[in-house]
Amino acid sequence: MAAAHKHKMILALFTLNLCYQICLSSKPNFIIMLMDDMGWGDLGVFGDPNKETPNLDTMAAQGMLFPDFYSANPLCSPSRAALMSGRLPIRNGFYTTNAHARNAYTPQVIMGGIPDEEILLPEILKKAGYRNKIIGKWHLGQQPQYHPLKHGFDEWFGAPNCHFGPYNNKKTPNIPVYRNAEMIGRYYQDFVIDRKTGESNLTQIYIQEALTFIESQVTDKTPFFLYWAVDATHGPVYASKQFLGKSRRGLYGDAVSELDYGVGKILNKLIQLGVDKNTFVFFSSDNGAATYDKGHGGSNGPFLCGKETTFEGGMREPSIAWWPGRILPGQVSHQLGSLMDLYTTLASLSGQQIPTDRVVDGVDLSKVLFGNYEINRPLFYYRGNELMAVRLGQYKAHFWTWTNSIEEFKRGTDFCPGQIIENVTTHNQVNQTAQPLLFHLGRDPGEKYIIKPGSSEYKENIGPILTAVEDHKKNLIPGEPQLNWCDDAVMNWSPPGCEKLNQCYTAPPSKPTKCVWNH
Amino acid sequence: MAAAHKHKMILALFTLNLCYQICLSSKPNFIIMLMDDMGWGDLGVFGDPNKETPNLDTMAAQGMLFPDFYSANPLCSPSRAALMSGRLPIRNGFYTTNAHARNAYTPQVIMGGIPDEEILLPEILKKAGYRNKIIGKWHLGQQPQYHPLKHGFDEWFGAPNCHFGPYNNKKTPNIPVYRNAEMIGRYYQDFVIDRKTGESNLTQIYIQEALTFIESQVTDKTPFFLYWAVDATHGPVYASKQFLGKSRRGLYGDAVSELDYGVGKILNKLIQLGVDKNTFVFFSSDNGAATYDKGHGGSNGPFLCGKETTFEGGMREPSIAWWPGRILPGQVSHQLGSLMDLYTTLASLSGQQIPTDRVVDGVDLSKVLFGNYEINRPLFYYRGNELMAVRLGQYKAHFWTWTNSIEEFKRGTDFCPGQIIENVTTHNQVNQTAQPLLFHLGRDPGEKYIIKPGSSEYKENIGPILTAVEDHKKNLIPGEPQLNWCDDAVMNWSPPGCEKLNQCYTAPPSKPTKCVWNH
């Protein structure tokens, strides 16, 4: 009996090992679902009282929830550049030195973009035989040399810039929408978002693009990387007709519901095609909810402030990992994670090396995903060229505090509506370096209670953070800043393919000026 | 084939009906788990980032989650009196007229208590053959005539007042702990809470009391009502040794974890004894988290302010209904619910009538629980003798706003730490009746964005609320206020049973004075 049992055990282990070998031999597919301005608190599983995300809640129940996962920056372009490059914006150049600690991004007047020297995630995966597609917003530069197909992607459906203007104003070109290397139309004139009703079928198009891509890759038996960078929750928020007016939360909730529906459609497609057990899916968002949107934006749950700030509301993201059969269901990981980790993790899972000639900030989360291991590592909160704060374990230290200028605030831009914490939500840039503000995020996720500098808790926990900062700064070689110069001439006047649509416009003469970044 | 199918259908319906008859013939057991000062945001399923309530999250997954469920009052005693009587404190007398819109409760100097005229839930259930037990905090009056066994309970283990003082100070009697009609010891001298470490084994005792009671009732085949009124999350917060220091949230989290453990033990006991399919369990809390506890209390998630206030943080409670086989798993109900509804619902489920000679505020939630039906009803937010706010559907109107006085605030008592909303979180009592502040809680759960009074949204939605107020006030007969008079002589000097313990102390001469309520 005992011998038979032992025999069975060995057989089981052998089979498991065999399966493991086979699994490894077939490279896993990857899907990164990156939301735009969606907040930590926008998902039912993260506490939205309206509980309108059944598909994401199910995804979490079947996978691993990350309540302590962060973007690399509180603003879209730098956050996305960091995700693609595995490196902080201060290294990859997605920042400005025009003024101190300013958020900068890539409106269509920007001259810069992702430098060729950066080795992007799709470039690494291409070497491993992957076919890479981006659907949605790129945001790493609108000039052709910066486009996705020049940086490792094989396919693109989407736009280089945001859809928040120009709104068909005739003076400046509407943002083009690309299929691969050529534009196929422009926002508002061809791809409509009704700014009165919020109606647009863009999310449905993005869902269908994803399903078609997945189907074709499965048919081709080619491993794929899909970067699903949808933007319905970025203002102007939109949803298609069948979702409009359905949410308890108004238009913003309609948009969330439609994206949730899309997540369900994509995961079900993987299951239906039988590739779910060979596909790693990660859901997250590019930065915190736009709390300044006067109640029409998303929710950052119990966290302080939102987008544009280095408080928790600005950078903590609703994150879920899903891989049936590899990631055990119903897990919660308190790993301090960063979107940059996806770079290193996906490279590792595809069997590729990450660059060794530069600092890569992302860490490989494989052990976390498959073994619920916890890696001790600091997280750096940058705003432009300044290291504003650092988290290590449960402690977070602010070296600089700033919401926005009192002038901007008085003009009605409030990054922290309803929230005022003395000496914390400051309206001038306060250098706290001499005595960093320390918070314990476990018992105080809202960063309300400054730990007394004289206390033993402060003394015990500030030291390791200061050491982490020292180590970080020692190895820091800032990249050439890409977001300093603006020029009307580089706008999307005549994108590739414009001639086929009769949508080529004449650019004005080049007149580079330093971009003005208010925040 | 069609005929056979029809035949099977009829048989199935017949069997279902038979089962329904049998189910009804055996009266269901009831358990109300009422937490003390636990906030809406303290459970993983309601978005606590630390995700430390696996048993409650499982309870929700197996039952029905109520994100829009409320206490009848933002303070403990009135909230509990309303739960027991099914009636608002303004009717049952648990309020004060000493000053306008003041929260009042039952410290041991209080002279009043639950009036005999109030017909409490256990009195109704007793008529249906139930055996009723309360474990934990009573809080409806510490004088013997107000005790649980005088008002329908068969058993009691717990205390009449809070455990937050006196702390063994020798000048005033420590709060007694009762077993049924007699005290068996006192807090701090016999039932220890170490205020330095937070250690106490009280929750373990309360858990064991519950398990023993359930076991004995199942053996006796008597339907039971268990009111599990535990208090570890009320300051001074406590946990037993095996939970101390384990939570990511500090001591408060330790207490939550231990209560969550207790919930798991109780539900598992029901399953193990095979009575889970005949037991309706409801989990909730008596009021919002004590946000004034300077970061050592609970979380009200995305809601405004906390305990003592009529903002959402003060009265929205983390609520879950559980009844395997009767309540379908994984449901979310947005029913506007009140703890008072449990009175009417449990009476209905036990086959009893509620009193018809008075207004009962609780509504029967059976249709909601078993059919996910939604009942349209207003909710009234009182503070003392004033109707502060009303919610109807997604809209909430504030008729009065107040946090606390500027004097109290300057002394360091902050009911809304970190939260300041102009014209909303006022430090004087502001009568907004002429133009009530209107909020849409679906898109603005934090009550940050006042809907413009001139807008069509305002005009369309204020009317039904004003009508609800009119209807409410028309039928309102305020009860004799019970919380006006205080007297040192009524303290727990010589509770029943003190003589057996040699713990009878001499009361001072009676000297009734009007109680002072600051908030």
Side-chain angles (χ1 to χ4, degrees), chain B residues 428-465:
Chain B
N428 45 354
Q429 296 187 350
V430 180
N431 187 347
Q432 314 271 10
T433 308
Q435 193 171 74
L437 305 181
L438 192 68
F439 293 93
H440 185 283
L441 296 178
R443 57 171 195 261
D444 179 23
E447 295 165 282
K448 289 179 182 173
Y449 305 99
I450 300 168
I451 295 170
K452 283 206 184 82
S455 66
S456 59
E457 186 179 16
Y458 188 94
K459 287 175 197 159
E460 277 161 30
N461 293 289
I462 196 69
I465 291 181

Side-chain angles (χ1 to χ4, degrees), chain B residues 444-515:
Chain B
D444 179 23
E447 295 165 282
K448 289 179 182 173
Y449 305 99
I450 300 168
I451 295 170
K452 283 206 184 82
S455 66
S456 59
E457 186 179 16
Y458 188 94
K459 287 175 197 159
E460 277 161 30
N461 293 289
I462 196 69
I465 291 181
L466 296 177
T467 306
V469 171
E470 204 181 315
D471 290 351
H472 172 69
K473 293 206 164 163
K474 211 161 54 194
N475 297 313
L476 182 64
I477 306 166
E480 182 68 27
Q482 295 295 316
L483 310 179
N484 279 354
W485 291 94
C486 288
D487 186 354
D488 279 0
V490 303
M491 293 170 99
N492 297 290
W493 303 102
S494 294
C498 68
E499 63 287 352
K500 293 180 190 163
L501 303 166
N502 199 22
Q503 287 190 11
C504 305
Y505 314 126
T506 309
S510 176
K511 196 181 155 196
T513 53
K514 281 202 168 183
C515 315

Side-chain angles (χ1 to χ4, degrees), chain B residues 253-269:
Chain B
D254 296 338
V256 172
S257 290
E258 188 166 12
L259 292 167
D260 175 75
Y261 164 87
V263 169
K265 290 291 273 188
I266 291 170
L267 298 187
N268 283 331
K269 176 60 74 180

Side-chain angles (χ1 to χ4, degrees), chain A residues 222-378:
Chain A
T222 313
F224 67 81
F225 165 46
L226 170 59
Y227 177 29
W228 197 58
V230 291
D231 57 5
T233 45
H234 190 296
V237 171
Y238 62 80
S240 58
K241 197 161 191 178
Q242 67 262 44
F243 287 91
L244 277 184
K246 297 288 164 61
S247 163
R248 295 170 56 88
R249 303 179 64 187
L251 179 58
Y252 185 87
D254 297 337
V256 173
S257 290
E258 188 167 10
L259 292 167
D260 176 75
Y261 163 87
V263 169
K265 290 291 274 186
I266 291 170
L267 298 187
N268 284 332
K269 176 60 73 182
L270 297 172
I271 294 166
Q272 190 192 316
L273 295 172
V275 294
D276 54 313
K277 292 196 170 57
N278 199 34
T279 307
F280 172 51
V281 186
F282 199 88
F283 176 94
S284 196
S285 181
D286 66 342
N287 46 242
T291 39
Y292 53 79
D293 205 8
K294 304 201 193 307
H296 299 288
S299 159
N300 295 313
F303 300 119
L304 187 61
C305 306
K307 181 178 173 177
E308 303 257 10
T309 77
T310 48
F311 301 108
E312 290 298 288
M315 290 174 59
R316 209 191 276 221
E317 307 305 332
S319 304
I320 306 168
W322 186 90
W323 189 350
R326 287 298 308 273
I327 297 172
L328 293 175
Q331 291 184 91
V332 175
S333 170
H334 288 291
Q335 174 65 44
L336 301 200
S338 165
L339 285 175
M340 297 182 292
D341 299 344
L342 297 178
Y343 179 92
T344 308
T345 308
L346 267 53
S348 160
L349 291 171
S350 73
Q352 292 298 305
Q353 297 292 320
I354 55 167
T356 52
D357 61 344
R358 65 197 71 190
V359 174
V360 170
D361 294 284
V363 303
D364 183 354
L365 296 180
S366 300
K367 277 186 180 177
V368 178
L369 295 164
F370 312 129
N372 211 341
Y373 186 87
E374 204 164 321
I375 302 163
N376 187 32
R377 63 93 76 91

Side-chain angles (χ1 to χ4, degrees), chain A residues 40 45-47 49-51 65 67-68 248-249 291 294-295 334 394 417-421 440 442-443 448-449, chain B residues 40 45-47 49-51 65 67-68 248-249 291 294-295 334 394 417-421 440 442-443 448-449:
Chain A
W40 190 95
V45 68
F46 284 115
N50 303 290
K51 297 271 176 197
L65 192 74
D68 298 75
R248 295 170 56 88
R249 303 179 64 187
T291 39
K294 304 201 193 307
H334 288 291
Q394 295 263 56
Q419 298 175 319
I420 297 177
I421 320 262
H440 185 282
R443 58 171 195 263
K448 291 178 180 172
Y449 306 99
Chain B
W40 190 95
V45 69
F46 284 114
N50 302 289
K51 298 270 173 193
L65 192 74
D68 297 77
R248 294 170 57 87
R249 302 179 64 187
T291 39
K294 303 197 196 305
H334 288 291
Q394 294 263 56
Q419 298 174 319
I420 297 177
I421 320 262
H440 185 283
R443 57 171 195 261
K448 289 179 182 173
Y449 305 99

Side-chain angles (χ1 to χ4, degrees), chain B residues 300-321:
Chain B
N300 296 313
F303 300 119
L304 186 60
C305 305
K307 182 177 174 178
E308 303 256 13
T309 77
T310 48
F311 301 107
E312 291 298 288
M315 291 174 59
R316 209 191 277 221
E317 307 304 333
S319 302
I320 306 168

Side-chain angles (χ1 to χ4, degrees), chain A residues 20-21 51 82 90 112 122 131 136 165 187 192 206 208 217 240 255 258 264 267 276 282 292 301 366 381 418 427 485:
Chain A
Y20 187 62
Q21 296 294 326
K51 297 271 176 197
I90 192 73
R131 188 163 178 87
Y187 278 136
V192 179
Y206 294 146
Q208 196 47 56
Q217 292 321 110
S240 58
E258 188 167 10
L267 298 187
D276 54 313
F282 199 88
Y292 53 79
S366 300
Y381 303 65
H427 280 291
W485 290 93

Side-chain angles (χ1 to χ4, degrees), chain B residues 34-74:
Chain B
L34 191 76
M35 303 301 109
D36 204 345
D37 286 6
M38 193 182 277
W40 190 95
D42 278 329
L43 276 59
V45 69
F46 284 114
D48 172 56
N50 302 289
K51 298 270 173 193
E52 293 181 330
T53 55
N55 292 293
L56 284 160
D57 299 352
T58 301
M59 183 183 179
Q62 295 171 345
M64 187 179 259
L65 192 74
F66 284 95
D68 297 77
F69 211 94
Y70 292 81
S71 63
N73 196 269

